[in-house]
Amino acid sequence: MNLNLKKISIFCAMFLSLSYANAQSLKIGVIDADKIMQEAKISKAAQAKIQKEVTKREEDLKAISAKGQALLDKFQKDLAKLSDTDKQKRKQELDTLDDGFKAKQAQYEEEIAKIKSTELSSVISNTNAVIKTVAAQEKFDLILQDAIYVAPNIDITDKVLKILNQ
């Protein structure tokens, strides 16, 4: 689907350029979004923040998992000595811990998804503002994203990165 969207965008740009070319020359610029996401300081900072949050939550889950494993090991070790009531009680403790672990894991996944969305949204918003500034300053009529081939004279990625990295 993403490929179809790119094809449609390129077709529209070509159509616009052909129809607009009759009236005056069209100045087109292209941006490499992947390069921006890999090299911009704001993108790297966002990725570091996301990784920090992921690591913090993974450590918490590992602690819960270790506690569960310790309880399971003790339960298996003591199994022969335990009464049926104690076996049932320990099994229930393990089930409760497992349910808590799964709930915490789902909660953390949701939190990380929100953090990723917020951080990505911020990077995109800042990048788009810089792209619009460069486009206005250099009087571009159209800025495209991620073309198959880009002549160096219309690629504004490095200009945008320079501003983003200031």
Side-chain angles (χ1 to χ4, degrees):
M1 183 167 166
N2 194 14
L3 185 58
N4 287 336
L5 187 59
K6 285 182 182 180
K7 286 180 181 178
I8 291 170
S9 296
I10 291 170
F11 174 77
C12 288
M14 289 172 36
F15 178 77
L16 282 173
S17 65
L18 290 175
S19 63
Y20 195 73
N22 292 333
Q24 62 185 9
S25 66
L26 180 67
K27 189 171 180 184
I28 297 175
V30 179
I31 189 85
D32 182 347
D34 289 336
K35 185 174 181 179
I36 297 288
M37 293 304 288
Q38 292 172 2
E39 297 180 18
K41 286 181 183 177
I42 59 171
S43 179
K44 290 178 182 179
Q47 291 168 4
K49 182 177 179 181
I50 292 166
Q51 187 56 48
K52 180 181 174 186
E53 295 295 328
V54 167
T55 300
K56 186 169 40 173
R57 284 160 177 78
E58 283 177 346
E59 289 172 0
D60 191 27
L61 289 175
K62 284 180 185 176
I64 295 170
S65 180
K67 182 179 177 183
Q69 188 61 47
L71 279 174
L72 181 61
D73 292 345
K74 183 166 175 38
F75 176 66
Q76 289 175 339
K77 179 182 160 194
D78 297 343
L79 190 60
K81 298 183 250 174
L82 294 174
S83 67
D84 288 343
T85 306
D86 287 338
K87 286 179 189 176
Q88 190 64 27
K89 181 180 172 188
R90 294 250 184 113
K91 185 178 179 329
Q92 190 172 12
E93 286 176 23
L94 285 168
D95 288 344
T96 301
L97 189 63
D98 186 52
D99 290 344
F101 177 84
K102 289 175 182 173
K104 191 72 98 170
Q105 188 175 33
Q107 174 190 346
Y108 286 170
E109 287 173 4
E110 185 177 314
E111 289 172 359
I112 293 299
K114 277 185 182 177
I115 292 168
K116 283 181 180 178
S117 176
T118 301
E119 292 299 317
L120 181 61
S121 195
S122 175
V123 170
I124 290 170
S125 177
N126 288 332
T127 302
N128 284 342
V130 170
I131 291 169
K132 288 176 184 176
T133 299
V134 170
Q137 288 173 347
E138 298 192 18
K139 298 181 179 22
F140 281 95
D141 298 304
L142 178 67
I143 302 294
L144 298 174
Q145 177 180 320
D146 299 326
I148 295 171
Y149 170 76
V150 179
N153 63 321
I154 65 169
D155 187 350
I156 65 167
T157 304
D158 289 335
K159 291 175 187 174
V160 171
L161 274 171
K162 184 177 178 182
I163 295 170
L164 283 171
N165 289 337
Q166 288 178 345

